[in-house]
Amino acid sequence: MPNTRRWRRVPLLLLVYALSLGLVAITCVVLTSVVADRVTTTALDSSRDADESFVNAFVREYLAPTDLTADALKPEGDARRASIEDRLRALVARSGILRVKVWSPDGTILYSDVPELRGQNFGLEDDLRDAFAGRPFAEVSPGDEGEERDVHALAADNVVGEYLPVKTGSSVAAVFEIYRDAAPILAAGDASRRDTIMITLAAAAMLAVLLYLIFRATQRRLTSQTARLVDAERRDSLTGLLNHGSIVGELATLLEARRSTLGAVGLAVVDIDNFRLVNEAHGHEAGDAVLRSVGRILSRELSFESFLGRYGPDEFLILAPPSCAHDLEAAIGRLRTALVSLSLQFRGSERLPVTVSAGICFAPVHGEAATELLSVATVALREAKASGGDGVRIATDGDATRTPEQSSFDVLEGLVIAVDTKDRYTKRHSDDVARYALFIADRLALPGDLRQTIGLSGLLHDVGKIGIPDAILRKPAALTADEYAIVKQHVALGDLIVRDLPDLGTVRAGIRHHHERWDGTGYLDGLAGDDIPLIARILAVADAFSAMTTSRPYRKALSVEEAIRRLEDAAGSQLDPALVVAFVEGLSTVPNAPLPGVIAPILSIWQRASVA
């Protein structure tokens, strides 16, 4: 029973704290509002009373009763009117008044320090009616309302407008309208708010200390447990990193601090490529292993001032404060480099590569609010992933409107760019196949025009993969029979895509037949031996070598030595043995022979081929 009572005190402690702090908060809001309103009202009343005395003294000294009638506007009163307005302008110049107008009972301005307003009738608004009824009035308003706008706008954002009646006997003969800068009054109100908040916070602190002393015995027992619970609420249970809410909270804190330091804050959303497909192919335990590995490497490669959290199911959010914002892009580069050596295997699968894509932006360049920056970084990430992942994109203005540079190869270049947009691996692979195929053509001493065609065919040999679903094209596991049947159709689709382009018959042959096998068991037409067009046999060797030496979603790249060994094993069954010999011997004997990892510019491969 004593233990039960002890633990029942915990909700009571929380309840008392909540009620007390809630009461303090309500008191603070109400008290701040009341005090600020009272200070503002008192200041307005004081200003109005002082100016009312000032106006009465001015009227007694400088004005006669006839000066406050409509006769004052007659032409014969010009000299007298000019003298009075000179005194009004002098009054404005030396007393801090921004504008003065003298109104007659019919709503006509008799005098003003702005001559253009004299004689104009603007009617009687409620404030003027109250003043002509003998009730002086003062209020705070913007400095560009009513007659005080455009060229007559007052030189202050907010002004105190005072309506002060001038009585002759028992009636109000005129009303002085005076404007002053409201900044001192508003500043006094703000100062009262701050003082009230500080006093209330001090009272809250004293109350918190008192409550702590009252419940200190229970609090001591709960401190350790509470700390663990708070930390657990901030952490992702799988990776141990800050969870979504905590990392976004840190972003808001950094952005608030940045306003005083004026430094840049970097933000990067990092997404694990093909994560959903890893989960589907190998199970959630495999996905968890990938998340932990990437999170661990990220923690190691980031500057210690940075913040790292799990932002989504397969996304991480990196925050770089001003002290290390310059290192954010380099840190992403270090992560990608470290991931090259990371490979994972699940249930007998081959070694799987792990790659990430990242979208990077900076405050204040790309926004000031947390939601705005997260949106910009997410858009940049989407662009980085658009070509199959393993990319980094820094948000820049105008990216959405940038278009490919036009040339005389518009249609063909468009096809190559379409391949890159669909899948970056396919684009890199196609560049490599074109380089290897041209190398084989050099080994065979083929003529320049055929070399140019071979280079073009290499770049476009997988163009049909534009029509293959992403879930199959990027699947991080072995394909099923049905999926493989779909992939095989890419050669037919590629043939259809380029068939209407002029003078591309040989290119079409390379695209359609580069998966035929020397022994006749390939696809789509089951050609064998020399019945397979030469261009297709060359592409087959280049394609096989590139596929083995490039990391794929379902396995990491093989070494050049292992790839050569497998090429030699395939000679006479899958590949033309004479072409394999020419290629392999060239790799070991020709200076500057093409090797994996060299990226050639788009279209330049076959543009240069014709000059060889």
Side-chain angles (χ1 to χ4, degrees):
M1 183 65 70
N3 288 338
T4 302
R5 291 177 179 174
R6 180 182 62 190
W7 290 109
R8 285 178 179 173
R9 293 173 187 169
V10 177
L12 176 61
L13 173 63
L14 298 177
L15 179 61
V16 170
Y17 265 105
L19 291 176
S20 300
L21 295 178
L23 180 61
V24 170
I26 294 173
T27 302
C28 180
V29 171
V30 174
L31 188 60
T32 299
S33 177
V34 170
V35 171
D37 289 346
R38 185 63 58 86
V39 169
T40 302
T41 300
T42 301
L44 287 173
D45 291 344
S46 176
S47 176
R48 183 200 63 205
D49 292 343
D51 284 340
E52 191 171 20
S53 299
F54 190 68
V55 165
N56 289 331
F58 182 87
V59 170
R60 287 194 301 270
E61 184 173 356
Y62 298 114
L63 298 182
T66 56
D67 293 330
L68 300 178
T69 64
D71 292 340
L73 295 176
K74 293 180 178 180
E76 56 267 24
D78 287 348
R80 175 64 176 169
R81 195 165 52 248
S83 173
I84 294 173
E85 289 187 339
D86 286 342
R87 294 184 182 278
L88 288 178
R89 282 189 285 273
L91 176 67
V92 169
R94 70 173 183 269
S95 62
I97 294 175
L98 301 177
R99 178 69 44 77
V100 60
K101 293 179 286 188
V102 181
W103 296 84
S104 68
D106 66 349
T108 301
I109 297 177
L110 299 175
Y111 308 101
S112 175
D113 61 301
V114 179
E116 292 85 354
L117 297 178
R118 183 199 323 121
Q120 296 192 43
N121 188 304
F122 294 99
L124 293 177
E125 297 181 351
D126 292 341
D127 297 338
L128 274 175
R129 286 195 180 92
D130 288 342
F132 276 108
R135 295 186 293 273
F137 180 79
E139 65 176 354
V140 176
S141 63
D144 57 355
E145 285 189 347
E147 302 86 56
E148 279 62 52
R149 63 178 183 269
D150 300 329
V151 296
H152 301 307
L154 299 173
D157 293 334
N158 295 287
V159 296
V160 175
E162 301 172 349
Y163 299 87
L164 308 174
V166 177
K167 294 183 179 180
T168 56
S170 59
S171 63
V172 177
V175 169
F176 271 65
E177 182 180 2
I178 292 176
Y179 286 102
R180 292 183 179 273
D181 191 349
I185 292 178
L186 296 178
D190 291 339
S192 69
R193 289 187 181 91
R194 289 194 300 270
D195 294 343
T196 304
I197 291 174
M198 294 301 296
I199 294 172
T200 306
L201 290 177
M206 295 176 61
L207 178 61
V209 172
L210 179 61
L211 290 174
Y212 172 76
L213 293 175
I214 294 174
F215 291 98
R216 65 183 182 276
T218 303
Q219 187 63 43
R220 287 172 181 170
R221 297 185 181 97
L222 294 175
T223 298
S224 178
Q225 180 182 7
T226 301
R228 290 194 299 270
L229 289 174
V230 169
D231 190 62
E233 290 176 354
R234 285 175 49 82
R235 298 287 172 179
D236 172 57
S237 58
L238 177 63
T239 63
L241 304 175
L242 294 175
N243 59 25
H244 178 95
S246 298
I247 192 66
V248 173
E250 293 291 350
L251 173 58
T253 302
L254 278 178
L255 294 177
E256 183 64 28
R258 193 210 68 78
R259 292 186 176 92
S260 60
T261 61
L262 300 180
V265 172
L267 181 150
V269 179
V270 179
D271 181 89
I272 300 175
D273 296 325
N274 299 320
F275 182 78
R276 178 179 60 83
L277 300 178
V278 170
N279 269 336
E280 292 176 354
H282 304 290
H284 291 291
E285 291 183 1
D288 292 347
V290 173
L291 282 169
R292 285 192 293 265
S293 298
V294 174
R296 183 171 59 252
I297 296 175
L298 266 174
S299 300
R300 185 181 70 215
E301 299 298 337
L302 292 176
S303 301
F304 70 90
E305 301 99 331
S306 299
F307 297 88
L308 173 63
R310 187 179 176 189
Y311 182 62
D314 59 342
E315 294 173 333
F316 298 90
L317 182 60
I318 303 172
L319 308 178
S323 59
C324 60
H326 63 279
D327 186 56
L328 181 57
E329 184 180 1
I332 299 297
R334 293 194 297 271
L335 165 67
R336 298 176 69 203
T337 300
L339 288 176
V340 171
S341 60
L342 175 66
S343 59
L344 302 172
Q345 286 183 286
F346 309 105
R347 302 178 196 171
S349 70
E350 295 197 50
R351 294 182 305 122
L352 302 179
V354 179
T355 62
V356 298
S357 297
I360 303 175
C361 66
F362 295 90
V365 176
H366 301 110
E368 293 277 3
T371 52
E372 184 179 7
L373 291 168
L374 289 170
S375 176
V376 171
T378 300
V379 171
L381 172 64
R382 189 180 305 125
E383 294 174 353
K385 293 179 68 68
S387 298
D390 194 17
V392 177
R393 183 64 180 267
I394 299 177
T396 55
D397 295 335
D399 281 343
T401 60
R402 191 167 55 204
T403 58
E405 183 180 349
Q406 299 299 308
S407 73
S408 60
F409 293 88
D410 284 346
V411 176
L412 301 178
E413 183 179 10
L415 292 176
V416 175
I417 292 173
V419 173
D420 187 28
T421 302
K422 173 67 174 180
D423 182 61
R424 185 162 292 151
Y425 160 76
T426 301
K427 172 61 180 62
R428 292 173 181 171
H429 166 68
S430 298
D431 285 345
D432 285 341
V433 169
R435 291 193 300 120
Y436 302 148
L438 285 173
F439 181 67
I440 296 173
D442 289 338
R443 297 285 293 159
L444 301 178
L446 297 180
D449 56 346
L450 182 55
R451 291 182 73 260
Q452 185 179 16
T453 302
I454 290 172
L456 176 57
S457 186
L459 285 176
L460 297 178
H461 78 286
D462 273 346
V463 69
K465 287 185 177 179
I466 293 173
I468 304 299
D470 288 349
I472 297 177
L473 192 61
R474 303 173 187 173
K475 182 177 180 180
L479 300 178
T480 65
D482 290 339
E483 291 170 338
Y484 185 58
I486 293 174
V487 170
K488 288 175 17 177
Q489 295 303 313
H490 80 277
V491 294
L493 180 58
D495 185 26
L496 290 173
I497 290 174
V498 302
R499 70 178 181 181
D500 292 327
L501 296 179
D503 303 323
L504 289 183
T506 305
V507 172
R508 289 183 59 190
I511 292 173
R512 182 175 182 85
H513 298 301
H514 70 277
H515 279 293
E516 303 288 356
R517 291 172 58 97
W518 185 257
D519 60 10
T521 61
Y523 62 88
L524 285 171
D525 300 320
L527 302 179
D530 292 331
D531 290 336
I532 304 171
L534 175 61
I535 189 172
R537 283 180 276 148
I538 292 174
L539 291 179
V541 175
D543 181 65
F545 184 71
S546 172
M548 289 187 288
T549 55
T550 307
S551 289
R552 305 295 300 274
Y554 55 84
R555 61 140 177 85
K556 297 199 72 172
L558 302 178
S559 66
V560 172
E561 293 75 13
E562 176 64 16
I564 289 175
R565 187 188 66 77
R566 296 192 183 189
L567 274 184
E568 292 173 335
D569 290 344
S573 56
Q574 176 186 351
L575 306 172
D576 184 335
L579 297 181
V580 172
V581 170
F583 181 62
V584 172
E585 287 184 351
L587 291 179
S588 60
T589 60
V590 176
N592 299 322
L595 292 173
V598 178
I599 303 300
I602 292 176
L603 300 180
S604 64
I605 291 174
W606 83 80
Q607 289 174 349
R608 296 198 308 268
S610 61
V611 302

